[in-house]
Amino acid sequence: MKRAGNLWPSVVAFESLLAAARRAAKGKRGVAAVARFLADVEPEVLALQRELRTGTWRPGPASSFLIRDPKVRTITAAPFRDRVVHHALMGALEPVLDRRMVAGSFACRRGKGAHAALRYARKLLRRHEWFLKLDVERCFESMAHDVVLATLARSVKDRRVLLLAERIVRAGRGNRGLPIGSLTSQWLANLVLDRMDHFVIEELGVGGYVRYMDDFVLFGASKADLRAHRATFAAFVTEELDLRLKERATIVAPARQGLPFLGWRLHRGVTRLRHANVRRSKRRLRRRVEEYRAGRIDEEALAASVRSVCEHLRQGGTLGLRRRWFEGPGDEPRAPP
C-alpha cells in the first residue's frame, strides 16, 4: 500500500488543534487542568501550534495510577496539552491507518468496537467447527519502540509526523512500552498488531478471524489445522513483532464448547455474560450511583453510565438480570443489589 505524505499541515493547523482540544476535553471539562486550558483556549492552541511548527514541543511529565478492574494495571495520564497534541496527530493519521486494517479488526476504529466484535465472533462461531483463542503477553508494556516506529513508517512517509510520533513514543521510557490510557498508544499498538492480522489472513489463510486489541481468535475446520497455525503464528509474532503469546491464555476447542471472548461466553445459540463481568458491571454502577448521591456527578452523567452498562448487557441473554437491577419504584437511581 502506498505510504501517505503531506500530513503535517493538517496536524498543526489552528482549526485541527482547536478541534483536538475539544475532543480531548470531552467528558472532562470539570477537571481543573482542562478548565484552565479551555478558559484561554485560543492562546493555548496558538502556543501549541508555535511549539509544533518550530520543533520545540516536548511531552510533559505524566501521572500514573493503578486500577484493579479486573487485573492490576498501571494507567498513565498525560498532561492535557499533550493529549491535545495526541488528538491532533491521530486526527491526521487515523484515516491513513484505518484504510489498511482488515475487516476482522475491531479496536479503536469508527463504526466498530467491542459489541461489533462480539457479533462478528458469534457469526464465525456458527460457521466453523473449531476455534483457537490467543492473547499477547503484556501487550502494551512489551511493545518495542523500534518496531512501533518502523511499522508506522510502513504507512507514513511524512518526516515531521514520524518525528512527532517518535517523541511521543519514546517520552520518559526505555526502549519498550506504550502507556495504557493514551490515544496514541491504542492506535499504535493496534497498528503493530495489524501486521499480525494480515499474516493470519494472507499467509495462513484461516477460515475466519476476529481481533479486539490483543484478544484474537482464529477459526477453522479441525483441531490439527489450528494447532499447526498456532506454531507458525507464534514464530511470526516473536520474530517480526518482538512480542510473545500468553501460553496460559491459549485455548483450542470445538465451537460447541463455547468461546470466551471480551467478558462473554459465546455459544452458537446463546451468549452468556461471565460471572466476573457481572461483578465488574455491578461495581461500576455502584460507584457511579455513590458519586451521584455525593454530588460529584450530575444526573446526565449517571444516566450515560446506566445506558452504557445496559447496552453492554444487551449483547447477550441478560433480560432477567437487567430487570432485577433497574426495575423498581420511584425515580431514585438504583444500584445493583
Side-chain angles (χ1 to χ4, degrees):
M1 184 178 290
K2 188 176 180 180
R3 295 194 301 159
N6 198 33
L7 299 174
W8 184 248
S10 65
V11 174
V12 298
F14 178 83
E15 295 79 7
S16 298
L17 289 165
L18 187 61
R22 290 172 179 149
R23 291 196 300 273
K26 188 175 181 180
K28 302 179 181 67
R29 291 175 177 269
V31 177
V34 178
R36 284 195 300 271
F37 189 99
L38 295 180
D40 291 304
V41 66
E42 291 191 2
E44 291 279 8
V45 166
L46 286 169
L48 269 180
Q49 183 186 51
R50 183 166 54 251
E51 291 174 32
L52 289 167
R53 283 178 169 173
T54 58
T56 58
W57 179 84
R58 297 294 185 277
S63 58
S64 299
F65 56 93
L66 294 178
I67 64 167
R68 294 172 174 81
D69 193 12
K71 59 187 177 182
V72 177
R73 292 183 295 167
T74 301
I75 304 298
T76 301
F80 181 72
R81 72 192 314 266
D82 286 14
R83 298 202 296 273
V84 174
V85 174
H86 296 175
H87 276 270
L89 176 62
M90 291 318 307
L93 285 179
E94 181 179 338
V96 173
L97 305 186
D98 187 77
R99 280 197 299 272
R100 66 163 290 112
M101 294 186 173
V102 304
S105 170
F106 286 85
C108 304
R109 305 171 67 190
R110 297 177 191 272
K112 297 270 189 173
H115 296 161
L118 285 169
R119 293 191 293 271
Y120 192 70
R122 278 197 298 262
K123 185 186 300 183
L124 293 174
L125 194 66
R126 295 185 186 112
R127 293 177 179 173
H128 298 91
E129 295 301 320
W130 286 81
F131 67 82
L132 167 62
K133 186 177 185 297
L134 299 165
D135 195 352
V136 174
E137 183 81 41
R138 300 176 66 244
C139 180
F140 279 82
E141 300 94 323
S142 300
M143 285 279 172
H145 294 171
D146 288 347
V147 172
V148 172
L149 296 170
T151 301
L152 181 60
R154 291 159 65 114
S155 297
V156 175
K157 63 182 178 182
D158 189 310
R159 182 184 58 81
R160 287 172 295 184
V161 166
L162 292 173
L163 178 59
L164 177 60
E166 182 172 8
R167 284 178 177 160
I168 292 170
V169 167
R170 297 195 189 278
R173 292 173 286 276
N175 58 8
R176 283 187 183 271
L178 296 175
I180 299 174
S182 164
L183 176 66
T184 50
S185 294
Q186 293 173 26
W187 264 104
L188 292 174
N190 204 24
L191 181 65
V192 170
L193 298 182
D194 170 74
R195 293 173 60 181
M196 184 176 74
D197 301 343
H198 285 273
F199 178 78
V200 168
I201 293 169
E202 296 161 12
E203 300 298 326
L204 297 184
V206 300
Y209 178 74
V210 61
R211 178 175 66 82
Y212 186 84
M213 198 47 75
D214 59 337
D215 286 332
F216 47 100
V217 188
L218 289 68
F219 296 84
S222 74
K223 183 177 183 178
D225 287 348
L226 290 176
R227 283 193 177 278
H229 287 329
R230 188 222 171 273
T232 308
F233 179 70
F236 173 85
V237 169
T238 300
E239 295 165 10
E240 297 296 325
L241 306 184
D242 199 8
L243 295 169
R244 301 289 185 277
L245 295 180
K246 190 184 296 182
E247 294 292 337
R248 63 186 179 278
T250 298
I251 303 172
V252 184
R256 65 177 182 274
Q257 177 178 305
L259 166 64
F261 188 55
L262 302 182
W264 297 82
R265 182 169 286 277
L266 310 183
H267 296 272
R268 286 172 166 174
V270 66
T271 300
R272 302 192 183 281
L273 189 63
R274 301 176 75 185
H275 293 304
N277 209 352
V278 174
R279 291 193 296 270
R280 286 199 296 275
S281 296
K282 279 185 178 181
R283 283 198 301 269
R284 288 169 185 164
L285 275 179
R286 283 174 177 159
R287 188 162 56 243
R288 296 300 274 174
V289 169
E290 289 166 3
E291 290 171 345
Y292 169 76
R293 288 173 174 163
R296 293 195 294 273
I297 64 172
D298 59 20
E299 190 171 334
E300 182 180 353
L302 176 62
S305 295
V306 171
R307 284 194 299 270
S308 175
V309 170
C310 284
E311 180 60 29
H312 182 61
L313 295 179
R314 284 194 191 99
Q315 303 306 308
T318 62
L319 179 59
L321 178 66
R322 282 178 278 138
R323 283 175 172 169
R324 291 196 302 274
W325 283 13
F326 298 110
E327 289 183 3
D331 297 326
E332 184 71 11
R334 300 175 67 222

